[in-house]
Amino acid sequence: PPLPPSRCAAMSDSTTDAIIGVAATVAALIVISFILSKVFIIVNQGEAVIIERLGKFHRVLNPGLQCIIPLVDSPKQFVWRDDRLLADGSIHSDPVNVTRIDLREAVFKFPSQEVYTVDTVQMKVDAVMYFRIADVHKAVYQVDDLAGAVHNVAQAQLKDVFGSKTMSAALQGQKTVNEHLQRLFDKEFTSWGLEVYRIELLDLSPLSHSDTAVAMKEQMKAERKRRAEFIVAEGNKTATRLVAEGEKMCKTNIGVAEQEATRKRSEGAKTAKIEMAKAETTALESVAEEVETDGCSQTDYALFNLYNNFMRDGVAHVSNKVLYLPYDASAVTGLLHRLPAAFGRKQGVATGAAGAPGGADAAAAAAGDAALD
């Protein structure tokens, strides 16, 4: 059955009260959250927040949970740059308003700029600066646009530094330039609460379309060619020196070997001559003993030896094999008669009877035949 109108009205009123209660709870939670967000601020590590009270600097909030007075205290907005690396390698910077200041070391990329050296060479300079905000109060209140002020001062200092140097000095002394810029920037930026660690030159070169760049390329080619030729010459020099040292060592070794061989040959010849002399001495002594044993003098032995050689050579060279002796055979007989005694042959010689006719001639012939034998 349908509910009475009074009961329906009561149910409608209870539903409306429930919805109102939920809405009031949600609104209360939103208000409480908003009030808490205005009262409590969580500061992350490496960040700082400046609080102004009624538009005047009050204090700097350190990392952690901090409490402020809503509607009285408010964070100070800080103008900074948002650097983004594009696809083409360039860096795009947009100014942004932030309330949280990053206290970590950061990199500030200076835009590329053209400077003139003291010898009127136009060069392109790309540099980066590594820095950190050391004093938040100075960084916010001492300068309006910190990023723009840093850029302008750096541009002026770069032009001043390179304007006092020649191109060669700037290219060869980049480390000196970096240290000089670091000292200048640190001195200039200290009043703004910045601490500069170092400056690095990413690119320092003449403009690509200038005559100086073309001349530098030609100079670089010539220098590389000169170095290549120098290296080749040094290699040839070293090779020649090593070959000469090798030949010298080889000749030295050959000389030492020849000297040793000559010494050995000399020692051998010396020993051979000594042995030959000893052998000849022994032979002469043996001959002398035999001659003395046979009862012959050395003079007779020498004469008979010469005669014997004469007779042998004569028989060997005469073609008809005929030997003519002197007519007076008695002299030859006396000579031949003594041959056996000189050469050690004691053979009987047939002689004729004393006083017999032809006895002396027969004896001489027999002695001659013995000598020829």
Side-chain angles (χ1 to χ4, degrees), residues 226-299:
R226 184 189 68 81
R227 290 183 180 180
E229 293 177 353
F230 176 78
I231 292 174
V232 172
E234 284 291 331
N236 294 333
K237 177 182 177 182
T238 303
T240 304
R241 180 175 58 81
L242 293 177
V243 170
E245 291 179 356
E247 293 179 352
K248 178 182 177 182
M249 186 177 297
C250 182
K251 291 180 179 180
T252 302
N253 293 335
I254 292 175
V256 172
E258 291 179 351
Q259 181 181 4
E260 185 67 18
T262 303
R263 186 178 64 82
K264 294 292 185 181
R265 286 194 294 267
S266 300
E267 292 178 356
K270 174 184 176 182
T271 304
K273 289 180 179 180
I274 292 174
E275 296 297 330
M276 289 293 295
K278 290 180 179 179
E280 290 180 358
T281 302
T282 303
L284 292 175
E285 290 177 354
S286 299
V287 171
E289 290 178 358
E290 293 296 332
V291 169
E292 184 179 359
T293 302
D294 291 339
C296 179
S297 65
Q298 295 182 359
T299 303

Side-chain angles (χ1 to χ4, degrees), residues 37-98:
S37 65
K38 295 296 182 180
V39 173
F40 297 102
I41 297 179
I42 298 177
V43 182
N44 299 324
Q45 184 68 33
E47 294 180 349
V49 178
I50 293 181
I51 299 298
E52 291 183 344
R53 177 167 293 179
L54 300 178
K56 184 180 179 181
F57 172 77
H58 178 58
R59 64 190 178 104
V60 178
L61 299 183
N62 296 321
L65 181 62
Q66 304 292 338
C67 179
I68 62 174
I69 300 175
L71 303 178
V72 177
D73 296 338
S74 61
K76 171 66 176 178
Q77 289 188 349
F78 179 69
V79 179
W80 193 239
R81 291 191 323 175
D82 182 18
D83 295 334
R84 292 176 297 169
L85 182 62
L86 302 181
D88 58 355
S90 60
I91 298 177
H92 180 70
S93 300
D94 292 328
V96 294
N97 294 326
V98 295

Side-chain angles (χ1 to χ4, degrees), residues 80-303:
W80 193 239
R81 291 191 323 175
D82 182 18
D83 295 334
R84 292 176 297 169
L85 182 62
L86 302 181
D88 58 355
S90 60
I91 298 177
H92 180 70
S93 300
D94 292 328
V96 294
N97 294 326
V98 295
T99 58
R100 297 175 181 268
I101 302 173
D102 195 346
L103 300 180
R104 297 174 298 178
E105 183 177 349
V107 179
F108 190 92
K109 174 68 171 62
F110 299 109
S112 300
Q113 56 181 331
E114 298 177 359
V115 296
Y116 282 93
T117 61
V118 71
D119 49 355
T120 65
V121 177
Q122 190 176 11
M123 305 185 68
K124 179 182 178 183
V125 179
D126 286 333
V128 293
M129 178 180 67
Y130 295 86
F131 73 100
R132 185 180 69 86
I133 298 178
D135 193 332
V136 180
H137 182 271
K138 291 182 179 180
V140 174
Y141 291 101
Q142 294 296 328
V143 62
D144 181 22
D145 183 4
L146 181 60
V150 170
H151 169 262
N152 293 330
V153 171
Q155 185 176 11
Q157 292 293 341
L158 287 174
K159 290 183 178 180
D160 181 66
V161 169
F162 287 101
S164 61
K165 293 181 178 294
T166 61
M167 182 192 68
S168 299
L171 292 175
Q172 296 176 2
Q174 293 191 21
K175 182 178 180 182
T176 305
V177 173
N178 293 340
E179 295 175 353
H180 182 62
L181 290 175
Q182 190 270 335
R183 291 193 298 268
L184 289 178
F185 287 177
D186 189 44
K187 180 179 179 181
E188 293 289 340
F189 298 155
T190 301
S191 60
W192 296 342
L194 298 182
E195 183 178 357
V196 179
Y197 292 105
R198 64 185 182 278
I199 304 293
E200 297 291 343
L201 295 178
L202 301 180
D203 185 20
L204 178 61
S205 61
L207 297 181
S208 58
H209 60 274
S210 63
D211 296 338
T212 305
V214 176
M216 288 184 63
K217 290 181 180 179
E218 295 296 332
Q219 181 182 4
M220 180 178 61
K221 293 180 181 179
E223 181 66 18
R224 289 180 178 175
K225 183 179 180 181
R226 184 189 68 81
R227 290 183 180 180
E229 293 177 353
F230 176 78
I231 292 174
V232 172
E234 284 291 331
N236 294 333
K237 177 182 177 182
T238 303
T240 304
R241 180 175 58 81
L242 293 177
V243 170
E245 291 179 356
E247 293 179 352
K248 178 182 177 182
M249 186 177 297
C250 182
K251 291 180 179 180
T252 302
N253 293 335
I254 292 175
V256 172
E258 291 179 351
Q259 181 181 4
E260 185 67 18
T262 303
R263 186 178 64 82
K264 294 292 185 181
R265 286 194 294 267
S266 300
E267 292 178 356
K270 174 184 176 182
T271 304
K273 289 180 179 180
I274 292 174
E275 296 297 330
M276 289 293 295
K278 290 180 179 179
E280 290 180 358
T281 302
T282 303
L284 292 175
E285 290 177 354
S286 299
V287 171
E289 290 178 358
E290 293 296 332
V291 169
E292 184 179 359
T293 302
D294 291 339
C296 179
S297 65
Q298 295 182 359
T299 303
D300 294 338
Y301 173 78
L303 292 174

Side-chain angles (χ1 to χ4, degrees), residues 23-41:
T25 303
V26 172
L29 292 176
I30 293 174
V31 171
I32 293 174
S33 300
F34 177 76
I35 294 174
L36 291 177
S37 65
K38 295 296 182 180
V39 173
F40 297 102
I41 297 179

